[in-house]
Amino acid sequence: MIAVRHLTILGSTGSIGVSTLDVVARHPDRFRVVALTANKSVQKILEQCRRFEPRYAVLLDETSAERLQVEVRRAGLATEVLWGVDSLEKVASLPDVDTVMAAIVGAAGIRPTFAAAATGKRVLLANKETMVMAGRIFTDVVKENHATLLPIDSEHNAIFQSLPQHFSGDLRAVGVRRILLTASGGPFRQMPLSALENVTPGQACAHPNWVMGQKISVDSATMMNKGLEVIEAHWLFEASPEQIEVVIHPQSIIHSMVEYVDGSVLAQLGNPDMRTPIAHALGFPERIETGVNPLDMFKVARLDFEAPDFERFPCLRLAYQALASGGSAPAVLNAANEVAVDSFLKCLMPFTSIPAMIEDVMQTIGRRDIATLDDVLAADGMAREAAQEWLTCLA
Ligand SMILES: NC(=O)c1ccc[n+]([C@@H]2O[C@H](COP(=O)([O-])OP(=O)(O)OC[C@H]3O[C@@H](n4cnc5c(N)ncnc54)[C@H](OP(=O)(O)O)[C@@H]3O)[C@@H](O)[C@H]2O)c1
């Protein structure tokens, strides 16, 4: 008999959330949706409530939650509507929920993701920002509370699939030499450097292979996304920075690779569709149907690889730098990046100012030791303030 999994989906209205519900809907015998959450997307979450009839729907924004409450009543649904960060934490840690999809974008996801780990859930980690900001503190909470962490990022999921099943954190012990983290290179891989100054948010969000939320799309265009993933891989697989090599692979067919000491390289391949890693984690260790098109190797025909260009992608260099500094540096990098991306999306500054702002904020704030989640959040707050000041000076 199939054991039914009871799910909370944090960020259900986003790109990952919608793909998760797509997979869930294909397996009504395997999954029950207990809670859905979003920031303010009332209509979207209402539609999801109609379809999946969760016990809870949580919006961060109070006014939006009041509107949702009215609509839920009007639709005759039994769903209880809640709002605020405490409610996000509550639904991430409900006793009868065993699996939490952590798919809120940005640092806003950290508290509910911690709540899920602290209550021993199976955490499907899309919100890489939690791992970047709080690496060791988060992995300790996972271990202490016997939570299970399954990576959703296609790269980390591919690495997870290419490691032996008994891997428990020691790469050397299982004969791994390196992790090869693939990257598409985003939409500006071949654009003349002089043209980057004038690229628009629309161009930056037009990823060649993946359909994603706006923030991660811009992160892919600057390659900060890959930088955040290097930090994530460091904590997830206990890999030193030297053991993680970024490989540009424009077709996004190989989702990452693991190189072993005997010369073997194991890779996971597939069409670029997030339903594959999501289903892998939802069904783990079983494989379940996703609706993803089978990979047609004859159509793919060729796979290309190149080294990353650190001049074109200074954000990647900054991420390696933050990883080497440790302490609060990755949290500062992440916070400055969130402010920078948001400012670029609002046309308050050009694309090329994104790394400039992050580098200046990292220098201004410096590095501190961090021991608790509060330390992490304090570093995040300081970096955001410094980034806002930077923006004021620019105006
Ligand atoms: N998209 C991908 O293919 C992909 C791949 C790998 C990893 N990831 C990671 O997955 C996470 C989600 O990415 P995404 O592309 O799905 O993002 P997205 O499409 O922008 O969706 C973000 C979700 O988070 C909610 N949200 C936004 N701000 C919030 C806040 N302050 N408090 C609570 N909820 C908030 C949004 O609600 P509203 O709809 O109300 O705004 C939405 O449900 C990110 O960490 C990203 O790096 C994404």
Side-chain angles (χ1 to χ4, degrees):
M1 213 176 79
I2 298 169
V4 176
R5 293 208 153 265
H6 293 80
L7 308 176
T8 284
I9 302 176
L10 302 167
S12 66
T13 53
S15 163
I16 293 290
V18 168
S19 293
T20 304
L21 287 172
D22 184 282
V23 176
V24 165
R26 292 167 193 273
H27 302 279
D29 53 332
R30 284 180 181 271
F31 304 113
R32 297 272 176 289
V33 177
V34 178
L36 297 172
T37 87
N39 182 14
K40 348 174 135 175
S41 294
V42 174
Q43 281 312 316
K44 249 183 168 176
I45 204 167
L46 178 65
E47 283 312 311
Q48 294 178 341
C49 288
R50 280 205 175 98
R51 179 141 191 225
F52 294 95
E53 300 185 359
R55 195 173 341 131
Y56 297 102
V58 184
L59 293 179
L60 180 72
D61 181 61
E62 184 179 2
T63 314
S64 306
E66 283 166 2
R67 282 177 41 220
L68 178 64
Q69 173 74 57
V70 172
E71 296 294 337
V72 161
R73 278 211 199 113
R74 191 174 291 158
L77 299 170
T79 302
E80 188 178 333
V81 178
L82 305 171
W83 65 274
V85 177
D86 290 350
S87 299
L88 292 173
E89 289 183 279
K90 172 183 162 154
V91 297
S93 50
L94 291 168
D96 59 339
V97 162
D98 48 63
T99 305
V100 175
M101 167 57 79
I104 291 174
V105 63
I110 197 169
R111 280 187 44 189
T113 306
F114 260 77
T119 45
K121 309 298 186 204
R122 171 182 278 199
V123 182
L124 314 188
L125 189 72
N127 178 256
K128 67 192 85 183
E129 293 88 348
T130 291
M131 195 59 114
V132 169
M133 295 168 71
R136 172 63 66 216
I137 302 169
F138 182 63
T139 52
D140 282 351
V141 170
V142 168
K143 275 185 206 140
E144 282 156 19
N145 297 286
H146 310 290
T148 306
L149 206 51
L150 294 173
I152 292 299
D153 249 318
S154 59
E155 297 77 0
H156 305 74
N157 185 271
I159 294 161
F160 182 80
Q161 292 196 44
S162 304
L163 285 168
Q165 281 236 353
H166 62 275
F167 173 69
S168 62
D170 186 345
L171 288 175
R172 268 176 214 282
V174 292
V176 171
R177 191 187 286 143
R178 279 188 312 164
I179 282 171
L180 303 170
L181 200 63
T182 55
S184 69
F188 306 141
R189 184 173 60 91
Q190 291 176 318
M191 185 178 271
L193 285 180
S194 57
L196 288 178
E197 179 82 15
N198 297 316
V199 299
T200 64
Q203 287 173 295
C205 289
H207 195 280
N209 307 331
W210 299 93
V211 180
M212 307 182 285
Q214 283 197 317
K215 192 257 177 186
I216 186 175
S217 296
V218 177
D219 283 350
S220 297
T222 60
M223 280 196 76
M224 178 57 93
N225 184 47
K226 209 49 52 184
L228 299 179
E229 288 178 6
V230 168
I231 301 174
E232 184 185 7
H234 165 73
W235 291 115
L236 270 176
F237 306 115
E238 313 237 355
S240 68
E242 299 72 35
Q243 283 176 306
I244 307 169
E245 178 157 359
V246 173
V247 178
I248 305 262
H249 165 47
Q251 292 91 354
S252 299
I253 294 296
I254 296 181
H255 299 131
S256 277
M257 298 169 261
V258 174
E259 180 187 293
Y260 288 84
V261 288
D262 62 1
S264 300
V265 176
L266 300 193
Q268 185 261 352
L269 286 73
N271 281 318
D273 187 321
M274 287 306 293
R275 289 177 299 176
T276 296
I278 289 168
H280 173 263
L282 276 172
F284 187 79
E286 286 176 59
R287 299 278 177 173
I288 58 175
E289 287 282 346
T290 56
V292 174
N293 287 331
L295 184 61
D296 182 342
M297 288 306 249
F298 301 112
K299 214 164 153 193
V300 173
R302 59 180 278 181
L303 300 173
D304 295 302
F305 306 96
E306 52 193 68
D309 174 351
F310 286 84
E311 193 194 343
R312 177 179 294 276
F313 299 115
C315 284
L316 187 55
R317 170 179 56 78
L318 292 172
Y320 269 106
Q321 205 175 300
L323 177 57
S325 301
S328 60
V332 170
L333 170 96
N334 179 68
N337 180 55
E338 285 190 25
V339 178
V341 169
D342 187 55
S343 308
F344 166 67
L345 285 170
K346 290 177 176 151
C347 298
L348 299 175
M349 66 183 212
F351 182 77
T352 42
S353 288
I354 295 175
M357 178 199 268
I358 298 167
E359 186 151 30
D360 284 352
V361 170
M362 284 172 72
Q363 272 169 12
T364 308
I365 303 283
R367 175 214 182 276
R368 291 165 189 230
D369 288 336
I370 51 165
T372 64
L373 179 56
D374 284 344
D375 295 339
V376 173
L377 295 174
D380 175 85
M382 275 194 296
R384 279 169 204 275
E385 258 178 49
Q388 287 300 344
E389 268 174 43
W390 193 96
L391 202 59
T392 314
C393 295
L394 190 74

